[in-house]
Amino acid sequence: MFQNQVPLLPGESIQTTVKDVMYICPFSGLVNGTLTITDYKLYFTSVEKESFILDVNLGVISRLETISVANQGQNTKGLELVCKDMRSPRFAYKTEESHPDVVNVLTKHAFPLSHNLSLFAYLYKEQFPVDGWKVYDPMAEYRRQGLPNESWTISKINSTYELCDTYPSILVIPTNITDEDIKRVAVFRAKHRIPVLSWIHPESQATIVRCSQPLVGPSDRRCKEDERFLQIIMDANAQSHKLTIFDARQSSVADTNKAKDGGYESESFYSNVELNFLEIPNIHVMRESLRKMKDVVYPTIDEAHWHSNIDQTHWLEYIRLLLAGAAKIADKLESGKTSVVVHCSDGWDRTAQLSSLAMLMLDSYYRTLRGFQVLVEKEWISFGHRFAARVGHGDENHANSERSPLFVQFMDCVWQMTRQFPAAFEFNELFLITVLDHLYSCLFGTFLYNSEKERAAKDVQTSSVSLWSYINR
């Protein structure tokens, strides 16, 4: 490794190089070196220690903070990069007329969408021997599950995203329901996210069905097509004469939603339906929980109060709630041979967490390297988890209340499962961390935008590389 020789990716270009920069290491104090900023990463090399390299991709930066630096003379600026992955590296550098302001260059390339620039995924030109965009083929995945069958059909009703603009173009719905009825159900469900099949049990034919909340409102509105729809879902499984609905929300919050025109299925209108609330808090609670967790683990750990500090973040309590909820869903299908409907409010956050975790428990295919990629593509990406809103790719508005670490939380749940059942998974911690690194990096197109419709409009598959091309190479 020669000094100032920065490894560049195909399509990456150096924007500025600044010498005599101090990295303020939380563990070993000040490290003197050279800072290079490209349109993809920040790369710091030490002058004293040949082997010391700090490589931070710009996508992971949440915000830039100026900090005060003691005893470094005048014209010294301090800069903290507050990152989405819990790191917060700090630097001190001399401000000189001759070179561009580090903060300006960083801001421009860390938040390209806020500066009318394109995300780096569109500039990245690496060629891989495999095409990761081919990993998930919905028709092949449903065929693997034994679909279509006499009760369930593969529908193109959403092929142009007209029925529901946040759902995938290919949906699995009951055979004996008309398009007209489906359109009426769509109007009765939040964001038009109708009940659709995610997974079917190969033996009992019990299913996991996902959707959004019904719009019953304070006056207990009814929709006979919706009631019949759930009846048909129940009838498609001959082994059980019940249908269980798992509403991920806290019951008090679901009541509040009902007052605002949302709500939940009434057991008196939906016959043979059992409704359970999983009491999982909302995205704002999860965001706050991870923020507290970051304060506990970085940059210093208070050993004396470690357990109580972790406990006060409630992060592990929420992980337990999610895993317990997914286990209830899996048990209802496996032992109860009963079909399950899962929803939260909009059906793209907690619903995705629960459906994918339950599927991971029930189906060993999803615990393979390839199968897990299919699971993420299917339950998260194609079903419209709002990655752009939750992660904030390329956007400097770090205080946006839509940001929330739902996918990180899901991956922590998966990690917990791999720790409990290491022999049941074909992948390890390194794989999970790699996926999370690229959730933020904007190197690949995989996690960009909020829906399949948006990704199609932005030519993601033709203009960027899939994360799975890199992982499966």
Side-chain angles (χ1 to χ4, degrees):
M1 176 75 209
F2 300 108
Q3 209 100 52
N4 299 338
Q5 196 175 356
V6 178
L8 296 176
L9 296 167
E12 184 182 9
S13 57
I14 292 175
Q15 303 299 309
T16 187
T17 302
V18 188
K19 292 194 164 61
D20 292 326
V21 174
M22 296 287 218
Y23 168 54
I24 307 167
C25 178
F27 312 111
S28 56
L30 296 174
V31 182
N32 192 19
T34 302
L35 184 66
T36 304
I37 301 166
T38 75
D39 44 5
Y40 171 65
K41 66 173 175 276
L42 170 151
Y43 194 83
F44 176 84
T45 49
S46 164
V47 175
E48 298 116 27
K49 300 185 216 153
E50 277 290 301
S51 60
F52 187 91
I53 293 168
L54 186 73
D55 184 338
V56 180
N57 69 62
L58 303 182
V60 82
I61 298 172
S62 175
R63 66 181 193 272
L64 301 170
E65 301 266 328
T66 49
I67 53 172
S68 56
V69 184
N71 313 326
Q72 292 298 316
Q74 283 195 318
N75 298 345
T76 299
K77 266 193 178 177
L79 179 64
E80 179 174 1
L81 315 179
V82 181
C83 294
K84 297 169 183 176
D85 65 355
M86 298 220 183
R87 292 180 296 177
S88 290
R90 298 171 149 205
F91 297 95
Y93 60 98
K94 295 267 188 289
T95 52
E96 289 165 21
E97 296 297 315
S98 57
H99 61 69
D101 182 31
V102 171
V103 176
N104 286 349
V105 178
L106 270 178
T107 302
K108 199 167 115 182
H109 293 285
F111 312 118
L113 297 186
S114 301
H115 296 85
N116 293 321
L117 295 172
S118 66
L119 293 162
F120 187 74
Y122 289 102
L123 305 172
Y124 180 49
K125 295 292 172 250
E126 187 88 68
Q127 301 280 318
F128 290 100
V130 288
D131 181 3
W133 296 121
K134 293 196 163 69
V135 161
Y136 177 53
D137 169 359
M139 297 299 274
E141 166 55 16
Y142 290 126
R143 201 159 45 242
R144 184 192 71 81
Q145 292 189 32
L147 297 165
N149 60 25
E150 66 268 23
S151 304
W152 295 92
T153 185
I154 294 172
S155 170
K156 300 273 172 68
I157 190 170
N158 201 40
S159 59
T160 57
Y161 309 109
E162 267 177 40
L163 179 77
C164 173
D165 61 359
T166 59
Y167 260 2
S169 60
I170 292 170
L171 301 171
V172 177
I173 55 174
T175 39
N176 50 349
I177 188 154
T178 66
D179 284 3
E180 285 312 306
D181 280 358
I182 285 174
K183 284 170 187 165
R184 289 195 185 97
V185 173
V187 174
F188 187 66
R189 291 277 166 177
K191 306 287 194 294
H192 292 185
R193 293 172 69 93
I194 63 168
V196 293
L197 180 144
S198 272
W199 189 79
I200 185 164
H201 195 290
E203 287 149 18
S204 70
Q205 307 289 295
T207 53
I208 295 176
V209 170
R210 60 181 293 173
C211 56
S212 61
Q213 66 181 340
L215 302 177
V216 299
S219 62
D220 281 321
R221 259 197 309 274
R222 293 180 64 172
C223 171
K224 65 179 194 299
E225 291 82 7
D226 194 82
E227 291 166 26
R228 186 168 160 264
F229 199 147
L230 293 202
Q231 179 69 41
I232 291 169
I233 289 168
M234 184 175 70
D235 294 342
N237 165 22
Q239 306 255 2
S240 174
H241 301 295
K242 275 217 169 320
L243 180 70
T244 303
I245 298 175
F246 285 102
D247 188 325
R249 299 170 293 185
Q250 293 167 299
S251 52
S252 58
V253 174
D255 282 327
T256 308
N257 284 348
K258 189 167 185 279
K260 295 182 193 157
D261 248 13
Y264 46 88
E265 296 79 0
S266 157
E267 291 179 353
S268 46
F269 298 155
Y270 291 82
S271 49
N272 303 312
V273 160
E274 177 195 357
L275 179 67
N276 295 296
F277 290 100
L278 293 174
E279 305 292 333
I280 300 164
N282 66 24
I283 66 167
H284 311 296
V285 173
M286 301 312 177
R287 178 178 61 246
E288 191 54 20
S289 175
L290 192 64
R291 187 194 62 73
K292 288 178 184 165
M293 177 68 84
K294 176 174 178 168
D295 291 344
V296 171
V297 301
Y298 189 94
T300 52
I301 286 173
D302 174 2
E303 297 284 357
H305 304 102
W306 168 247
H307 287 109
S308 59
N309 285 348
I310 289 290
D311 184 53
Q312 280 160 17
T313 70
H314 300 294
W315 181 259
L316 291 175
E317 181 190 325
Y318 301 146
I319 295 291
R320 186 195 67 78
L321 268 178
L322 282 165
L323 286 167
K328 282 177 192 164
I329 294 166
D331 182 64
K332 191 57 83 173
L333 269 93
E334 185 61 43
S335 305
K337 297 183 166 45
T338 296
S339 291
V340 165
V341 173
V342 186
H343 70 70
C344 43
S345 297
D346 291 320
W348 51 44
D349 289 314
R350 287 165 286 191
T351 300
Q353 290 176 316
L354 291 162
S355 66
S356 51
L357 287 169
M359 288 158 72
L360 207 53
M361 293 171 182
L362 288 162
D363 192 335
S364 60
Y365 171 68
Y366 298 126
R367 300 193 294 271
T368 66
L369 194 60
R370 182 76 178 239
F372 187 79
Q373 297 168 22
V374 168
L375 182 68
V376 169
E377 284 279 349
K378 178 178 184 301
E379 290 301 295
W380 288 83
I381 298 169
S382 84
F383 272 100
H385 174 67
R386 303 180 67 227
F387 281 102
R390 299 291 178 255
V391 179
H393 298 121
D395 176 14
E396 65 188 342
N397 184 9
H398 62 85
N400 189 329
S401 66
E402 287 289 294
R403 302 247 179 129
S404 190
L406 278 291
F407 187 73
V408 178
Q409 197 173 37
F410 159 71
M411 293 289 271
D412 194 352
C413 289
V414 176
W415 181 82
Q416 300 285 346
M417 288 166 69
T418 65
R419 301 291 289 176
Q420 246 181 314
F421 305 99
F425 291 84
E426 200 187 17
F427 49 83
N428 59 12
E429 178 180 279
L430 176 64
F431 168 72
L432 296 175
I433 290 170
T434 304
V435 172
L436 280 183
D437 280 342
H438 292 297
L439 170 68
Y440 306 121
S441 74
C442 298
L443 184 57
F444 302 103
T446 303
F447 295 119
L448 302 184
Y449 305 108
N450 291 321
S451 65
E452 193 177 281
K453 182 184 179 181
E454 274 185 35
R455 279 183 291 276
K458 301 283 187 185
D459 299 321
V460 168
Q461 293 204 6
T462 50
S463 305
S464 73
V465 178
S466 164
L467 169 60
W468 316 127
S469 302
Y470 165 71
I471 283 178
N472 301 332
R473 68 195 189 282

